[in-house]
């Protein structure tokens, strides 16, 4: 594991500057670096899924993109340009807001909910349903708003 | 510590703090394994307590009823006693440093989760509770103790 000299938030590299698959540490949290692919605009708080079997690429695109499926890689930290490279968080107290709201007719995120990557909405997280336990990537420690779970109100786990 | 430094020099099982020395909720390493620095609410921790996330970010509780736990969401294992309102490290990966308190029914190769009613205790995973697993037992418990070195944490980091 390598400590990052620069803050991982805001990185949007046109050329690769860090290793793929390596665990990076910054300010008590864990991160990985990859190429952000497909055509859906990225935002801070988007759940990204693995898009390449060699851990070189991630995507927020749930349909029509190159996602390998409901294999959560982490949470995007900023608006990385599609085709560019950046960091995403894979462990610790959430450093940015998390995109998650009541998209499927169930209740909004509540404290204690386990979270998975939503099966349909690009970049979104959703509450775990029975049978999705293996997909859990985070737990909420406070209720979400109508759009997001706030930074610090969720913990990423199981991805490092 | 600088933001890119993760290895702590102090033994995590040696002390607690009365001030937020490292930043609550942050992960650190010691001897190659992860520890989480946390604040303690509801009740004092005993070494070996399985703690759950509390409703305040970066804080944990061993209280399974009437406290501020958000549910069966494990945050780690206490490796030292820690009073309410104080701060300490809890173990989040690796082979367990501290004895766990069980319900007396843990067998080797079982998955472990927080006990639903015993404060700080652990139980074997039941079907439908897979998301709450925090460890795996390498041996059976003896009475209500699963010894240090006989389990490994998983999925907490």
């Amino acid at each position: 594991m390598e400590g990052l000299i620069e803050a991982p938030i805001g990185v949007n590299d046109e050329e690769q500057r860090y290793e793929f698959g390596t665990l990076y540490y910054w300010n008590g949290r864990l991160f990985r670096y990859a190429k952000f692919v497909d055509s859906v605009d990225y935002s801070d708080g988007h759940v990204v899924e693995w898009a390449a079997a060699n851990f070189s690429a991630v995507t927020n695109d749930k349909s029509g993109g190159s996602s390998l499926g409901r294999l959560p890689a982490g949470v995007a930290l900023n608006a990385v340009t599609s085709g560019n490279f950046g960091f995403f968080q894979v462990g610790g107290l959430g450093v940015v807001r998390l995109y998650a709201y009541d998209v499927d007719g169930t209740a909004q995120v509540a404290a204690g909910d386990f979270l998975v990557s939503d099966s349909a909405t690009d970049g979104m997280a959703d509450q775990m349903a029975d049978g999705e336990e293996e997909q859990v990537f985070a737990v909420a420690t406070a209720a979400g708003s109508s759009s997001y779970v706030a930074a610090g109100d969720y913990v990423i786990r199981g991805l490092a | 510590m600088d933001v890119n430094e993760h290895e702590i020099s102090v033994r995590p099982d040696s002390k607690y703090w009365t001030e937020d020395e490292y930043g609550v909720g942050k992960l650190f390493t010691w001897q190659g394994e992860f520890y989480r620095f946390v604040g303690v609410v509801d009740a004092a921790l005993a070494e070996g307590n399985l703690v759950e996330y509390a409703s305040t970010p970066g804080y944990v509780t061993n209280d399974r009823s009437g406290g501020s736990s958000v549910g069966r969401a494990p945050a780690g294992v206490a490796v030292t006693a820690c009073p309410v309102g104080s701060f300490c490290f809890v173990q989040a990966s690796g082979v367990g440093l501290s004895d766990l308190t069980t319900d007396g029914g843990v067998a080797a190769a079982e998955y472990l989760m927080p006990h639903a009613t015993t404060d700080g205790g652990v139980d074997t995973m039941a079907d439908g509770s897979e998301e709450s697993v925090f460890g795996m037992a390498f041996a059976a418990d003896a009475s209500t103790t699963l010894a240090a070195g006989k389990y490994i944490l998983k999925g907490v980091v």
Side-chain angles (χ1 to χ4, degrees), chain B residues 9 28 31 38 40 44-45 51 65 68 72 81 83 87 95 119-120 134 148 150-151:
Chain B
S9 56
F28 296 91
Q31 294 192 344
V38 297
V40 175
L45 303 185
V51 297
S65 61
S68 53
R72 301 293 82 79
F87 304 84
V95 176
D119 294 337
F134 76 92
K150 299 299 184 185
Y151 64 96

Side-chain angles (χ1 to χ4, degrees), chain A residues 86-109:
Chain A
F87 286 99
F88 50 96
Q89 188 176 358
V90 302
L93 206 56
V95 74
V96 298
R97 62 186 181 175
L98 176 64
Y99 184 42
Y101 67 90
D102 179 18
V103 68
D104 54 8
T106 60
Q108 287 181 189
V109 172

Side-chain angles (χ1 to χ4, degrees), chain B:
Chain B
M1 295 176 68
D2 291 340
V3 293
N4 62 338
E5 293 179 4
H6 54 81
E7 182 76 13
I8 53 175
S9 56
V10 62
R11 284 186 64 96
D13 57 349
S14 66
K15 62 182 292 187
Y16 64 84
W17 290 260
T18 56
E19 304 285 342
D20 185 1
E21 182 78 13
Y22 292 87
V24 290
K26 291 184 180 181
L27 293 165
F28 296 91
T29 60
W30 182 71
Q31 294 192 344
E33 297 296 349
F34 283 103
Y35 292 81
R36 180 174 276 121
F37 191 73
V38 297
V40 175
V41 294
D42 295 335
L45 303 185
E47 182 181 355
N49 278 176
L50 188 284
V51 297
E52 298 174 331
Y53 290 111
S55 52
T56 301
Y59 284 74
V60 300
T61 177
N62 63 1
D63 193 347
R64 300 294 195 267
S65 61
S68 53
S69 171
V70 299
R72 301 293 82 79
V77 176
V79 290
T80 182
C82 187
V84 173
S86 294
F87 304 84
C88 61
F89 288 100
V90 295
Q91 188 175 3
S93 77
V95 176
L97 284 185
S98 302
D99 292 353
L100 297 175
T101 299
T102 71
D103 63 351
V106 174
E110 288 192 321
Y111 290 91
L112 304 169
M113 62 174 285
H115 198 281
T117 57
T118 302
D119 294 337
V122 306
D123 198 358
T124 49
M125 183 202 78
D127 284 348
S129 297
E130 291 83 355
E131 70 278 12
S132 294
V133 166
F134 76 92
M136 300 177 288
F138 295 156
D141 53 6
S143 183
T144 58
T145 299
L146 181 59
K150 299 299 184 185
Y151 64 96
I152 190 167
L153 283 83
K154 76 174 284 284
V156 183
V157 173

Side-chain angles (χ1 to χ4, degrees), chain A residues 10-96:
Chain A
V11 171
N12 184 14
D13 296 334
E14 293 183 0
E15 303 290 336
Q16 181 186 353
R17 292 192 296 129
Y18 292 90
E19 295 295 320
F20 300 141
T22 296
L23 200 58
Y24 292 97
Y25 180 93
W26 182 80
N27 199 22
R29 281 94 167 169
L30 307 176
F31 302 87
R32 284 197 172 92
Y33 183 87
K35 186 174 188 177
F36 286 57
V37 300
D38 295 332
S39 56
V40 178
D41 289 342
Y42 285 92
S43 169
D44 58 304
H46 274 189
V47 179
V48 293
E49 299 176 333
W50 290 113
N54 62 354
F55 309 107
S56 64
V58 295
T59 180
N60 59 358
D61 193 346
K62 303 295 173 58
S63 60
S66 49
S67 172
L68 297 176
R70 300 294 80 78
L71 303 177
V75 176
L77 304 172
N78 49 278
V80 178
T81 305
S82 182
N84 282 8
F85 302 83
F87 286 99
F88 50 96
Q89 188 176 358
V90 302
L93 206 56
V95 74
V96 298

